[in-house]
Coordinates of all heavy atoms in Angstrom, one line a residue:
R1 N -1.4 -15.9 86.7 CA -0.3 -16.7 86.3 C 0.9 -15.9 85.6 O 2.0 -16.1 85.8 CB -1.0 -17.7 85.3 CG 0.1 -18.7 84.7 CD 0.7 -19.5 85.9 NE 1.8 -20.4 85.3 CZ 2.8 -20.9 86.0 NH1 2.9 -20.6 87.3 NH2 3.6 -21.7 85.4
K2 N 0.4 -15.0 84.6 CA 1.5 -14.2 84.0 C 2.2 -13.2 85.1 O 3.4 -13.1 84.9 CB 0.7 -13.3 82.9 CG 0.2 -14.1 81.8 CD -0.4 -13.1 80.7 CE -1.0 -13.9 79.6 NZ -1.6 -13.1 78.5
A3 N 1.5 -12.7 85.9 CA 2.1 -12.0 87.0 C 3.1 -12.6 87.8 O 4.2 -12.1 88.1 CB 1.0 -11.3 88.0
A4 N 2.8 -13.9 88.1 CA 3.6 -14.8 88.8 C 4.9 -15.1 88.1 O 6.1 -15.0 88.6 CB 3.0 -16.1 89.3
K5 N 4.8 -15.4 86.8 CA 6.0 -15.7 86.0 C 6.9 -14.5 85.9 O 8.2 -14.6 85.9 CB 5.5 -16.2 84.6 CG 5.0 -17.6 84.6 CD 4.7 -18.0 83.2 CE 5.9 -18.1 82.2 NZ 6.8 -19.1 82.7
L6 N 6.3 -13.3 85.7 CA 7.2 -12.0 85.6 C 7.8 -11.8 86.9 O 8.9 -11.4 86.9 CB 6.1 -10.9 85.2 CG 6.8 -9.5 85.0 CD1 7.9 -9.7 84.0 CD2 5.8 -8.5 84.6
L7 N 7.1 -12.0 88.1 CA 7.7 -11.6 89.3 C 8.9 -12.7 89.5 O 10.0 -12.2 90.1 CB 6.7 -11.8 90.4 CG 7.2 -11.5 91.8 CD1 7.7 -10.0 91.9 CD2 6.1 -11.7 92.8
V8 N 8.7 -13.9 89.3 CA 9.8 -14.9 89.4 C 11.0 -14.5 88.6 O 12.1 -14.6 89.0 CB 9.3 -16.2 89.2 CG1 10.5 -17.3 89.1 CG2 8.2 -16.8 90.2
S9 N 10.7 -14.0 87.3 CA 11.9 -13.8 86.5 C 12.6 -12.5 86.9 O 13.9 -12.4 86.8 CB 11.3 -13.4 85.1 OG 10.5 -12.2 85.1
L10 N 11.8 -11.5 87.6 CA 12.6 -10.4 88.2 C 13.4 -10.8 89.5 O 14.5 -10.4 89.7 CB 11.5 -9.4 88.8 CG 10.8 -8.6 87.7 CD1 9.8 -7.7 88.2 CD2 11.8 -7.8 86.8
I11 N 12.9 -11.8 90.3 CA 13.7 -12.3 91.4 C 14.9 -13.1 91.0 O 16.0 -12.9 91.5 CB 12.8 -13.2 92.3 CG1 11.6 -12.4 92.9 CG2 13.5 -14.0 93.4 CD1 10.5 -13.2 93.6
T12 N 14.8 -13.9 89.9 CA 16.0 -14.7 89.5 C 16.9 -14.0 88.7 O 18.0 -14.5 88.6 CB 15.4 -16.0 88.8 OG1 14.6 -15.5 87.7 CG2 14.5 -16.9 89.7
S13 N 16.4 -12.9 88.1 CA 17.4 -12.1 87.3 C 18.5 -11.4 88.0 O 19.6 -11.0 87.3 CB 16.6 -11.0 86.4 OG 16.1 -10.0 87.3
K14 N 18.4 -11.3 89.3 CA 19.3 -10.6 90.2 C 19.6 -9.1 89.8 O 20.7 -8.6 90.0 CB 20.7 -11.4 90.1 CG 20.4 -12.8 90.7 CD 21.8 -13.5 90.8 CE 21.7 -15.0 91.2 NZ 22.8 -15.8 91.1
L15 N 18.6 -8.4 89.2 CA 18.7 -7.0 88.9 C 18.4 -6.1 89.9 O 18.7 -4.9 90.0 CB 17.8 -6.7 87.6 CG 18.1 -7.3 86.3 CD1 17.0 -7.0 85.2 CD2 19.5 -6.8 85.8
S16 N 17.6 -6.7 90.9 CA 17.3 -5.7 92.0 C 18.3 -5.4 93.0 O 19.2 -6.1 93.4 CB 16.1 -6.6 92.8 OG 15.8 -5.7 94.0
P17 N 18.3 -4.2 93.3 CA 19.3 -3.6 94.4 C 18.9 -4.2 95.8 O 17.8 -4.7 96.0 CB 19.1 -2.1 94.3 CG 17.8 -1.9 93.8 CD 17.5 -3.0 92.9
D18 N 19.9 -4.2 96.7 CA 19.5 -4.8 98.0 C 18.4 -4.2 98.7 O 17.6 -4.9 99.3 CB 20.9 -4.5 98.9 CG 22.0 -5.3 98.3 OD1 21.8 -6.3 97.5 OD2 23.2 -5.0 98.6
F19 N 18.0 -3.0 98.6 CA 17.0 -2.4 99.3 C 15.7 -2.8 98.9 O 14.7 -2.6 99.5 CB 17.1 -0.9 99.3 CG 16.7 -0.2 97.9 CD1 15.4 0.0 97.5 CD2 17.9 0.1 97.1 CE1 15.2 0.6 96.3 CE2 17.5 0.6 95.9 CZ 16.3 0.9 95.5
F20 N 15.6 -3.4 97.6 CA 14.3 -3.8 97.0 C 14.0 -5.3 97.1 O 12.8 -5.7 96.7 CB 14.4 -3.3 95.5 CG 13.0 -3.2 94.9 CD1 12.0 -2.4 95.4 CD2 12.6 -4.0 93.9 CE1 10.8 -2.3 94.8 CE2 11.3 -3.9 93.2 CZ 10.5 -3.0 93.8
W21 N 14.9 -6.1 97.8 CA 14.7 -7.5 97.7 C 13.4 -7.8 98.8 O 12.6 -8.6 98.3 CB 15.9 -8.1 98.3 CG 16.9 -8.5 97.2 CD1 18.1 -8.0 96.9 CD2 16.6 -9.5 96.1 NE1 18.6 -8.6 95.8 CE2 17.7 -9.5 95.3 CE3 15.6 -10.5 95.9 CZ2 17.9 -10.4 94.2 CZ3 15.7 -11.3 94.8 CH2 16.8 -11.3 94.0
E22 N 13.3 -7.1 99.8 CA 12.2 -7.4 100.6 C 11.0 -7.2 100.0 O 10.0 -7.9 100.1 CB 12.4 -6.4 101.8 CG 11.2 -6.5 102.9 CD 11.3 -5.6 104.1 OE1 12.4 -4.8 104.1 OE2 10.4 -5.6 104.9
T23 N 10.8 -6.0 99.2 CA 9.6 -5.8 98.4 C 9.3 -6.9 97.5 O 8.1 -7.4 97.4 CB 9.6 -4.4 97.7 OG1 10.0 -3.4 98.8 CG2 8.4 -4.1 97.1
L24 N 10.3 -7.3 96.7 CA 10.1 -8.4 95.7 C 9.6 -9.6 96.4 O 8.6 -10.3 95.9 CB 11.3 -8.5 94.8 CG 11.7 -7.6 93.8 CD1 12.9 -8.0 93.1 CD2 10.5 -7.5 92.8
L25 N 10.3 -10.0 97.4 CA 9.9 -11.4 98.1 C 8.6 -11.3 98.6 O 7.7 -12.3 98.6 CB 11.0 -11.6 99.1 CG 12.4 -12.0 98.6 CD1 13.4 -12.1 99.7 CD2 12.4 -13.3 97.8
L26 N 8.2 -10.1 99.4 CA 6.8 -10.0 99.9 C 5.7 -10.0 99.0 O 4.6 -10.4 99.2 CB 6.8 -8.9 100.9 CG 7.7 -9.0 102.2 CD1 7.6 -7.6 102.9 CD2 7.1 -10.0 103.0
D27 N 6.0 -9.5 97.7 CA 5.0 -9.5 96.7 C 4.6 -10.9 96.2 O 3.6 -11.1 95.5 CB 5.5 -8.7 95.4 CG 5.5 -7.2 95.6 OD1 4.7 -6.7 96.5 OD2 6.2 -6.5 94.9
T28 N 5.4 -11.9 96.6 CA 5.0 -13.2 96.2 C 4.0 -13.8 97.1 O 3.3 -14.9 96.7 CB 6.3 -14.2 96.3 OG1 6.8 -14.2 97.7 CG2 7.3 -13.8 95.4
L29 N 3.8 -13.2 98.3 CA 2.8 -13.7 99.3 C 1.3 -13.9 98.7 O 0.8 -15.0 98.9 CB 2.9 -12.9 100.6 CG 3.9 -13.3 101.6 CD1 4.0 -12.2 102.7 CD2 3.7 -14.7 102.1
P30 N 0.9 -12.8 98.2 CA -0.5 -12.9 97.6 C -0.6 -13.8 96.5 O -1.7 -14.6 96.4 CB -0.9 -11.5 97.2 CG 0.4 -10.8 97.0 CD 1.3 -11.4 98.0
L31 N 0.4 -14.2 95.7 CA 0.4 -15.1 94.7 C 0.5 -16.5 95.2 O -0.1 -17.6 94.6 CB 1.5 -14.9 93.7 CG 1.6 -13.5 93.0 CD1 2.8 -13.4 92.1 CD2 0.3 -13.6 92.1
L32 N 1.1 -16.7 96.4 CA 1.3 -18.0 97.0 C -0.1 -18.3 97.7 O -0.3 -19.6 98.0 CB 2.4 -18.1 98.0 CG 3.8 -18.0 97.5 CD1 4.8 -17.6 98.6 CD2 4.1 -19.2 96.7
E33 N -0.9 -17.4 98.0 CA -2.3 -17.7 98.7 C -3.4 -17.6 97.8 O -4.4 -17.5 98.2 CB -2.4 -16.5 99.8 CG -1.2 -16.6 100.8 CD -1.2 -17.8 101.7 OE1 -2.3 -18.4 101.7 OE2 -0.2 -18.2 102.2
T34 N -3.3 -17.6 96.4 CA -4.4 -17.6 95.6 C -5.2 -18.8 95.8 O -4.6 -19.9 96.1 CB -4.0 -17.6 94.1 OG1 -3.0 -18.5 93.7 CG2 -3.3 -16.1 93.9
E35 N -6.5 -18.8 95.3 CA -7.3 -20.1 95.5 C -6.8 -21.3 94.6 O -6.8 -22.4 95.1 CB -8.8 -19.6 95.0 CG -9.7 -20.8 95.3 CD -11.2 -20.3 94.9 OE1 -11.4 -19.1 94.8 OE2 -12.0 -21.1 94.7
T36 N -6.3 -20.9 93.5 CA -5.7 -21.9 92.6 C -4.1 -21.7 92.5 O -3.9 -20.4 92.2 CB -6.3 -21.9 91.3 OG1 -7.8 -22.3 91.4 CG2 -5.7 -23.1 90.4
P37 N -3.3 -22.5 92.8 CA -1.9 -22.3 92.8 C -1.5 -21.6 91.3 O -1.9 -22.3 90.3 CB -1.3 -23.6 93.0 CG -2.2 -24.3 93.8 CD -3.6 -23.9 93.2
V38 N -0.7 -20.7 91.4 CA -0.3 -20.1 90.1 C 1.3 -20.2 90.0 O 1.8 -19.9 88.9 CB -0.7 -18.5 90.1 CG1 -2.0 -18.5 89.8 CG2 -0.1 -17.8 91.1
L39 N 2.0 -20.6 91.0 CA 3.4 -20.8 91.1 C 3.8 -22.3 91.0 O 3.2 -23.0 91.9 CB 4.1 -20.1 92.2 CG 4.1 -18.6 92.3 CD1 4.5 -18.1 93.6 CD2 5.1 -18.1 91.3
S40 N 4.6 -22.7 90.1 CA 4.9 -24.2 90.0 C 6.0 -24.5 91.1 O 6.4 -23.6 91.9 CB 5.5 -24.4 88.6 OG 6.8 -23.7 88.5
A41 N 6.2 -25.8 91.2 CA 7.2 -26.3 92.1 C 8.6 -25.7 92.0 O 9.3 -25.1 92.8 CB 7.1 -27.7 92.2
D42 N 8.9 -25.7 90.6 CA 10.3 -25.1 90.5 C 10.4 -23.7 90.6 O 11.4 -23.2 91.1 CB 10.6 -25.3 88.9 CG 11.0 -26.9 88.6 OD1 11.1 -27.6 89.6 OD2 10.9 -27.2 87.4
E43 N 9.3 -22.8 90.4 CA 9.3 -21.5 90.7 C 9.3 -21.2 92.2 O 9.9 -20.2 92.7 CB 8.0 -20.9 90.1 CG 8.1 -20.8 88.5 CD 6.8 -20.4 87.9 OE1 5.8 -20.6 88.5 OE2 6.8 -19.9 86.8
T44 N 8.7 -22.1 92.9 CA 8.7 -22.0 94.4 C 10.0 -22.2 94.9 O 10.6 -21.6 95.8 CB 7.6 -23.0 94.9 OG1 6.3 -22.8 94.4 CG2 7.5 -22.9 96.5
Y45 N 10.8 -23.3 94.4 CA 12.1 -23.5 94.8 C 13.1 -22.3 94.5 O 13.9 -22.0 95.3 CB 12.7 -24.7 94.1 CG 12.1 -26.1 94.7 CD1 11.5 -27.0 93.9 CD2 12.2 -26.3 96.1 CE1 11.0 -28.1 94.4 CE2 11.7 -27.5 96.6 CZ 11.2 -28.4 95.8 OH 10.6 -29.6 96.3

């Protein structure tokens, strides 16, 4: 849950350079596939 919130904050902060967006977005996949959801609807949007 904490990891998901931190990752979303990095994605929405727009600090990432262009070459790193792919890595950040793909890092959400294992969090989206957890047994119990850890990302809220707003974070998913």
